[in-house]
């Protein structure tokens, strides 16, 4: 444990509907095409040494085989497996019958684990795209969301829980209409929903729906993802860490504006999963959860700067000509028809 680290027991925790405790902040491992797998694995090593116990992985990130030895090293160094919370996700090309088990087995082998704490369906669309493809790329085999097919994938997720390979299962990049159907039909309901959440994209309706239904929100892009791939940037995107309200609060606390975004996320009740390979940054993202909380007035101010600015739009999952990315997100309260 690093001398300047944070006691993991002091980091806020959330309690899932199962009664399990999940650390209230985690380290993301999506390198945004800007960092090598080795750099990300080294960041995981450093993050664990400063007190992180929650690591958010995914098969599509292509670095689980490098993170695995780091987790093994940590456990051999005295950190108990049950002290770690490890999440991974099944990618879109592995939704088919039997594929979920294969994907999970590979992830467990790569991460050198006997079980995962949380396994998510990464996207509700079973559409494969080559890594790093442009947002204009369209798969000729692209399919819309079809609930019956999603439930076939979910049944495999439930089987993983029954087999003891996964402790909790959950969703990612979902909408209220899709979650309503899943909650209606699931034998094991989702414990978490991973979703884009930052001050300029607060998703209040979906956030409330998750909370009301005992689903813990996990927020990616918690500071507005300034290092996201260039292909995901559009001219109307806003920048959270340049918002005057965020900057003003950062000046009061004498911290970087990104720290304010993390504090807001934790105090609001979601679990942010910031990513950085820089020690000072991932350390400050953990330290800020145990120091100088935002005031009620500041929380209210941040609530007022929501710009409904979605940064990760998912254009590659569109399945027919003439669609816009909004069709993926069921904005009118109904699932977009095939």
């Amino acid at each position: 444990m690093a001398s300047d680290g944070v006691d993991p027991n002091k980091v806020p925790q959330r309690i899932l509907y199962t009664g399990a405790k999940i650390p209230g902040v985690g380290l993301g491992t999506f390198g945004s095409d800007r960092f090598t797998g080795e750099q990300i694995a080294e960041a995981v090593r450093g993050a664990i040494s400063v007190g992180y116990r929650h690591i958010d992985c995914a098969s599509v990130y292509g670095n689980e085989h490098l993170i695995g030895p780091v987790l093994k090293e940590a456990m051999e160094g005295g950190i108990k497996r049950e002290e770690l919370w490890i999440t991974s996700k099944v990618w879109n090309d592995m939704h088919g019958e039997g594929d979920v088990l294969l994907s999970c087995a590979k992830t467990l082998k790569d991460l050198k684990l006997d079980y995962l704490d949380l396994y998510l369906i990464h996207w509700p669309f079973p559409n494969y795209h080559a890594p790093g493809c442009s947002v204009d790329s369209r798969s000729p085999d692209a399919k819309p969301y079809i609930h019956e097919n999603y439930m076939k994938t979910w049944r495999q997720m439930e089987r993983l829980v029954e087999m003891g390979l996964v402790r909790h299962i959950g969703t990612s990049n979902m909408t209220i209409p899709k979650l309503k159907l899943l909650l209606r039909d699931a034998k094991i309901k989702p414990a978490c929903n991973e979703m884009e959440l930052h001050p300029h994209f607060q998703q209040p309706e979906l956030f409330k729906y998750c909370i009301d239904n005992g689903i813990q929100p996990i927020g990616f892009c918690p500071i507005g993802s300034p290092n996201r791939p260039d292909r995901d940037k559009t001219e109307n995107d806003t920048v959270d860490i340049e918002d005057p309200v965020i900057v003003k609060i950062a000046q009061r606390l004498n911290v970087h504006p990104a720290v304010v975004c993390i504090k807001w996320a934790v105090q609001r009740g979601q679990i942010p999963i910031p990513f950085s390979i820089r020690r000072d940054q991932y350390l400050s993202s953990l330290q800020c959860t145990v120091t100088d909380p935002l005031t009620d007035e500041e929380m209210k101010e941040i609530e007022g700067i929501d710009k409904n600015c979605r940064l990760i739009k998912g254009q590659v999952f569109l399945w027919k000509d003439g669609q816009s990315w909004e069709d993926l997100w069921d904005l009118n309260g109904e699932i977009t028809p095939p």
Side-chain angles (χ1 to χ4, degrees):
M1 186 75 187
S3 60
D4 59 347
V6 176
D7 180 351
N9 296 312
K10 294 181 178 175
V11 174
Q13 294 183 320
R14 304 289 166 207
I15 299 178
L16 303 182
Y17 76 79
T18 62
K21 293 179 179 178
I22 174 173
V25 62
L27 184 80
T29 58
F30 174 45
S32 301
D33 303 350
R34 301 189 190 281
F35 307 101
T36 66
E38 287 78 10
Q39 286 176 303
I40 293 165
E42 189 56 40
V44 172
R45 177 181 283 109
I48 291 174
S49 78
V50 301
Y52 279 85
R53 294 295 180 264
H54 177 177
I55 310 296
D56 183 273
C57 306
S59 60
V60 76
Y61 301 163
N63 53 26
E64 291 186 329
H65 66 294
L66 298 169
I67 293 171
V70 174
L71 300 179
K72 183 169 184 280
E73 173 191 302
M75 289 184 282
E76 288 174 347
I79 295 175
K80 295 175 181 157
R81 171 64 185 92
E82 55 268 27
E83 294 174 8
L84 294 171
W85 184 282
I86 309 298
T87 297
S88 188
K89 312 175 191 81
V90 60
W91 188 238
N92 312 334
D93 58 344
M94 297 298 281
H95 284 203
E97 195 63 47
D99 288 342
V100 176
L101 176 58
L102 291 174
S103 182
C104 183
K106 183 176 190 310
T107 280
L108 288 170
K109 181 182 177 187
D110 286 347
L111 291 176
K112 300 189 180 299
L113 298 174
D114 296 325
Y115 68 90
L116 293 169
D117 297 277
L118 177 63
Y119 200 44
L120 307 176
I121 299 180
H122 206 145
W123 285 86
F125 307 102
N127 301 337
Y128 174 77
H129 286 83
C133 68
S134 77
V135 295
D136 301 321
S137 177
R138 298 288 178 269
S139 167
D141 303 317
K143 297 179 180 66
Y145 176 87
I146 299 170
H147 183 64
E148 293 74 17
N149 292 346
Y150 190 85
M151 286 309 302
K152 289 177 183 175
T153 305
W154 191 256
R155 295 291 178 233
Q156 296 180 71
M157 300 285 282
E158 293 173 329
R159 181 78 180 116
L160 293 173
V161 177
E162 292 163 358
M163 295 169 70
L165 297 175
V166 170
R167 297 284 169 90
H168 300 84
I169 51 178
T171 54
S172 182
N173 296 298
M174 287 285 269
T175 63
I176 292 175
K178 295 183 180 84
L179 281 172
K180 280 181 178 176
L181 292 178
L182 176 58
L183 288 173
R184 182 194 71 189
D185 296 339
K187 288 186 291 187
I188 301 176
K189 82 172 191 178
C192 301
N193 180 59
E194 197 161 298
M195 53 202 275
E196 183 179 334
L197 288 170
H198 45 93
H200 282 182
F201 192 61
Q202 300 183 22
Q203 300 214 67
E205 294 86 4
L206 179 54
F207 181 85
K208 183 178 186 300
Y209 184 83
C210 288
I211 295 294
D212 288 348
N213 285 278
I215 302 170
Q216 172 62 49
I218 299 174
F220 63 80
C221 299
I223 65 170
S225 193
N227 280 329
R228 68 189 180 280
D230 291 335
R231 65 179 179 275
D232 285 326
K233 297 181 178 180
T234 61
E235 59 181 317
N236 294 323
D237 292 348
T238 60
V239 183
D240 300 67
I241 57 176
E242 294 177 2
D243 189 287
V245 168
I246 300 294
V247 171
K248 180 186 72 171
I249 298 170
Q251 288 170 343
R252 176 183 79 79
L253 295 169
N254 195 29
V255 295
H256 190 281
V259 167
V260 177
C261 297
I262 302 297
K263 283 180 179 289
W264 167 79
V266 173
Q267 288 181 226
R268 186 187 187 214
Q270 64 229 33
I271 298 174
I273 44 171
F275 165 75
S276 178
I277 64 165
R278 285 179 48 183
R279 187 181 189 276
D280 62 322
Q281 292 181 346
Y282 59 70
L283 177 55
S284 67
S285 290
L286 194 63
Q287 286 173 330
C288 78
T289 68
V290 297
T291 56
D292 300 325
L294 304 182
T295 66
D296 291 343
E297 292 77 13
E298 288 168 338
M299 290 295 292
K300 196 73 181 169
E301 276 189 282
I302 295 175
E303 185 182 334
I305 63 171
D306 188 3
K307 300 186 184 307
N308 196 31
C309 179
R310 187 186 293 277
L311 301 174
I312 307 302
K313 300 174 177 67
Q315 297 97 320
V316 294
F317 302 119
L318 294 170
W319 59 91
K320 61 185 178 184
D321 292 337
Q323 290 184 304
S324 70
W325 62 264
E326 289 91 347
D327 290 319
L328 301 169
W329 300 105
D330 309 334
L331 299 185
N332 66 352
E334 295 180 2
I335 295 173
T336 303

